[in-house]
Amino acid sequence: MMKEFKPKLFSVMKNYSGSQLVKDIVAGIIVAIIALPLSIALAIASGVGPEAGIYTAIVAGFIVSFLGGSRVQIAGPTAAFATIVAGIVMKDGTQGLIIATIMAGVILIIMGFCRFGSLLKYIPDPITTGFTAGIAVTLFIGQIKDFTGISYMNGEKPIETGEKIMALVKNITTINWQSVLIGAVALIILIFWPMLFKKIPGSFIAVIVTAALVEFFHMDVNTIGKQFAEIPAGLPPLSINASMFTFEAFRGQLSNAVTIAFLAGVESLLSAVVADSMIGSKHRPNAELIAQGVGNIASACLGGIPATGAIARTAANIKNGGRTPVAGMVHSVTLLLVVVFLMPFAKLIPMPCIAAILFQVAYNMSGWRRFVKLVKSSPKSDIVVLLITFALTVIFDLVVAIEVGVILAAVLFMKRMSEVTQVEGWKDFDPENDPDSIDLRVLPEHTIVYEISGPMFFASAGKILQITPKEDTKALVLRMRSVSTIDATAMRNLELLFEDCKNRGVQLIMSHVNEQPMKVIRKAGFEEKLGKDNFCAHIDDALARAEQVVKI
């Protein structure tokens, strides 16, 4: 039982070899080279300093690899968090972000110990596709300013996507064409470099080439050094103090914490599933959730931002030979060495290059092909969920989108389930006059039979009350062989049906009640109220009981 919480690292080390160690080290270093510009770019997109992204990849990346339930998962900052983190920082500062991230970590740990790992797979695909595409659009729009070098002349600090678009339109005359040129060079490298050289990531080459161009030609282009006056080098600092933790702070960040935990859980497990298919392994979802929780808490305490499993970096790890959590730990150690010895060089990176990298990230995460396919092939209700989630993510924010999307999907699910549940009345056939009725029973006089098919829960329970005995009815049989489950609302409606029958002088008889419904019936005291004689194991027994009742 405890195996589901056991980190994969402890399982794979039993048969670890020197040759695999070499492969893991090489894979870890390559992934670190990929993660370096991405982590910086995602941190800037999140409204924090560039070092925060690398701190996240170092701290959360190491912990998730060490404690996680996947052999090859690489954790760190991802584009999914950029918009929500930027909103939190803008409204509540870094202190609010720290509180929200720590709370999200605690939620993830609780989810893991409560074995919620397998439940996250029930999040509807239209919701995940909708908010992922929405995040991609907001991320793209958010980077237009840095790509074009536009300056906000009136000191605007837009938060919502609509505000950003308005600010861009108002200040469009301030476009810096040198910035556009550097951004275009970066995009060209990002697109075409992988076609020629697959081992060295294009983002790393784009950073080096554009930084060299700006420095050599003394171009008037905004760089990380100009935007962030000081870029600290060295070990991640402790970012918390006791005064931060107040009830008001916790209450104010609860919805943000739930959203961060939701995103971290869904994306990390999705990444782990993709990784499993690539290496023929099977991850431990609950161990992964716990590791993500611990990693996020540690990241927040040491100057980082929210983290989760990064699908692209995980895939790169696998393609370069990484097969154990050691590769992820090497990736974190490599980034730590960069922070200690090379961080001052980050000030040379042009902001248009960062924007170009994030343009590519936005395109890759948009899943536009999947989006179009869902619109073309899905039921109308799923399309509604998809489009509303997408629109709310772009127009408002991710918190609103996920809340509304989940509620809407739940309502539509209940509607579908209620449509599946059927209550049908039996007709009295005479076998002698109907040769096709050989398997049908002849109903006793003054008896009606209804068969219920499907789960009986609050959305469909009202159909029970649609059953109405006729004036001459003396026995009403409910055949429940196809009812797998009932809830409290359905139980209450059964009691109302019983009261109605009692007032009409009709005996209610129940046939073939399954295990879960029977437990609910007994717990409600309904078995005693109806009488054990009126619960029959088979329809023939129920009809025999109805015949007895009619003759009385």
Side-chain angles (χ1 to χ4, degrees):
M1 185 66 71
M2 293 304 293
K3 186 179 179 182
E4 62 184 304
F5 300 118
K6 183 181 179 181
K8 274 285 187 179
L9 176 67
F10 302 154
S11 298
V12 301
M13 293 307 290
K14 295 176 183 177
N15 302 312
Y16 200 59
S17 64
S19 61
Q20 186 56 54
L21 174 62
V22 173
K23 291 179 182 177
D24 285 339
I25 291 175
V26 171
I29 293 172
I30 292 174
V31 172
I33 294 172
I34 296 171
L36 178 61
L38 272 179
S39 298
I40 291 173
L42 291 168
I44 293 172
S46 300
V48 296
E51 71 282 356
I54 304 183
Y55 292 162
T56 306
I58 292 170
V59 178
F62 189 91
I63 290 174
V64 169
S65 291
F66 186 78
L67 297 176
S70 171
R71 293 170 62 101
V72 291
Q73 181 88 283
I74 302 293
T78 67
F81 290 122
T83 52
I84 185 171
V85 170
I88 296 171
V89 171
M90 189 73 73
K91 293 177 183 176
D92 305 314
T94 54
Q95 183 170 313
L97 176 62
I98 290 170
I99 296 295
T101 307
I102 291 175
M103 290 175 67
V106 173
I107 293 170
L108 283 165
I109 292 172
I110 293 171
M111 289 168 65
F113 279 117
C114 291
R115 296 181 173 86
F116 281 6
S118 59
L119 296 181
L120 288 174
K121 67 184 178 183
Y122 296 113
I123 302 298
D125 185 44
I127 291 179
T128 54
T129 302
F131 74 66
T132 301
I135 291 169
V137 171
T138 56
L139 183 63
F140 182 90
I141 293 172
Q143 298 311 305
I144 294 175
K145 176 181 181 292
D146 286 333
F147 187 88
T148 59
I150 286 177
S151 300
Y152 290 160
M153 305 303 293
N154 300 318
E156 297 100 327
K157 291 184 178 180
I159 298 176
E160 306 295 346
T161 303
E163 295 173 348
K164 291 178 181 177
I165 293 173
M166 291 298 296
L168 290 170
V169 171
K170 285 181 182 178
N171 298 283
I172 195 168
T173 56
T174 65
I175 287 178
N176 180 340
W177 293 106
Q178 292 187 32
S179 291
V180 175
L181 176 62
I182 290 297
V185 169
L187 269 181
I188 290 169
I189 294 172
L190 289 168
I191 293 170
F192 293 104
W193 181 268
M195 299 179 186
L196 303 173
F197 307 97
K198 295 186 178 180
K199 286 292 182 182
I200 303 175
S203 57
F204 187 71
I205 300 301
V207 165
I208 293 174
V209 171
T210 55
L213 287 172
V214 171
E215 190 69 16
F216 184 79
F217 291 104
H218 305 288
M219 299 177 74
D220 181 22
V221 173
N222 194 20
T223 63
I224 289 179
K226 292 179 181 178
Q227 185 156 323
F228 300 92
E230 184 179 349
I231 305 174
L235 298 175
L238 188 66
S239 303
I240 59 170
N241 57 71
S243 63
M244 295 170 55
F245 302 103
T246 64
F247 176 76
E248 289 299 321
F250 286 132
R251 187 174 66 175
Q253 295 300 327
L254 181 59
S255 63
N256 289 327
V258 171
T259 302
I260 291 171
F262 175 88
L263 278 177
V266 170
E267 191 164 359
S268 65
L269 295 181
L270 177 61
S271 176
V273 169
V274 172
D276 285 349
S277 65
M278 294 177 72
I279 63 172
S281 180
K282 190 174 183 181
H283 72 285
R284 295 167 184 158
N286 297 314
E288 186 65 22
L289 287 179
I290 293 170
Q292 293 288 343
V294 176
N296 273 281
I297 292 172
S299 175
C301 292
L302 293 171
I305 57 179
T308 185
I311 296 177
R313 275 158 273 173
T314 298
N317 179 35
I318 294 169
K319 290 176 183 177
N320 287 283
R323 288 296 181 273
T324 77
V326 172
M329 294 158 68
V330 169
H331 137 270
S332 295
V333 172
T334 304
L335 288 173
L336 179 61
L337 295 174
V338 170
V339 168
V340 172
F341 297 108
L342 302 175
M343 198 61 189
F345 291 102
K347 67 182 181 182
L348 301 175
I349 302 174
M351 293 304 296
C353 178
I354 294 293
I357 291 171
L358 291 172
F359 280 167
Q360 187 182 53
V361 170
Y363 176 82
N364 290 336
M365 78 173 295
S366 66
W368 64 271
R369 292 181 180 85
R370 177 66 186 162
F371 192 98
V372 172
K373 183 178 179 181
L374 283 175
V375 171
K376 287 182 176 179
S377 61
S378 299
K380 290 182 180 178
S381 57
D382 283 343
I383 296 173
V384 169
V385 172
L386 173 70
L387 295 179
I388 288 179
T389 306
F390 172 76
L392 290 176
T393 303
V394 174
I395 298 170
F396 296 102
D397 59 45
L398 203 55
V399 177
V400 174
I402 290 176
E403 288 174 351
V404 174
V406 170
I407 292 171
L408 189 59
V411 170
L412 291 172
F413 168 76
M414 290 183 288
K415 179 178 180 292
R416 288 177 189 163
M417 292 298 290
S418 67
E419 290 170 351
V420 169
T421 304
Q422 300 292 332
V423 179
E424 297 178 346
W426 276 23
K427 295 181 180 179
D428 189 1
F429 287 97
D430 182 356
E432 294 181 2
N433 297 326
D434 185 359
D436 294 327
S437 68
I438 189 169
D439 293 325
L440 297 177
R441 281 79 176 172
V442 179
L443 303 186
E445 286 186 301
H446 310 296
T447 299
I448 57 174
V449 177
Y450 281 88
E451 180 159 3
I452 304 175
S453 301
M456 297 301 298
F457 68 116
F458 64 92
S460 59
K463 294 186 177 182
I464 296 174
L465 299 181
Q466 295 175 5
I467 299 173
T468 305
K470 299 176 183 177
E471 289 186 7
D472 63 340
T473 302
K474 294 184 179 179
L476 189 158
V477 177
L478 284 187
R479 194 181 195 189
M480 298 182 64
R481 61 176 180 172
S482 299
V483 180
S484 57
T485 181
I486 66 173
D487 68 358
T489 306
M491 186 64 250
R492 172 60 179 160
N493 287 359
L494 278 175
E495 291 175 332
L496 292 174
L497 176 63
F498 168 74
E499 294 296 332
D500 182 51
C501 289
K502 188 176 179 181
N503 293 335
R504 294 171 181 264
V506 176
Q507 178 61 60
L508 179 63
I509 301 167
M510 304 187 75
S511 165
H512 199 145
V513 182
N514 290 307
E515 183 178 359
Q516 191 276 347
M518 200 65 208
K519 284 183 179 178
V520 175
I521 285 169
R522 284 174 179 154
K523 194 172 182 179
F526 189 66
E527 184 181 31
E528 295 180 6
K529 186 185 291 187
L530 185 61
K532 292 185 179 181
D533 292 343
N534 295 310
F535 285 90
C536 303
H538 192 271
I539 186 62
D540 290 338
D541 301 329
L543 294 178
R545 172 61 181 160
E547 197 166 3
Q548 290 178 355
V549 169
V550 169
K551 290 180 179 178
I552 295 175

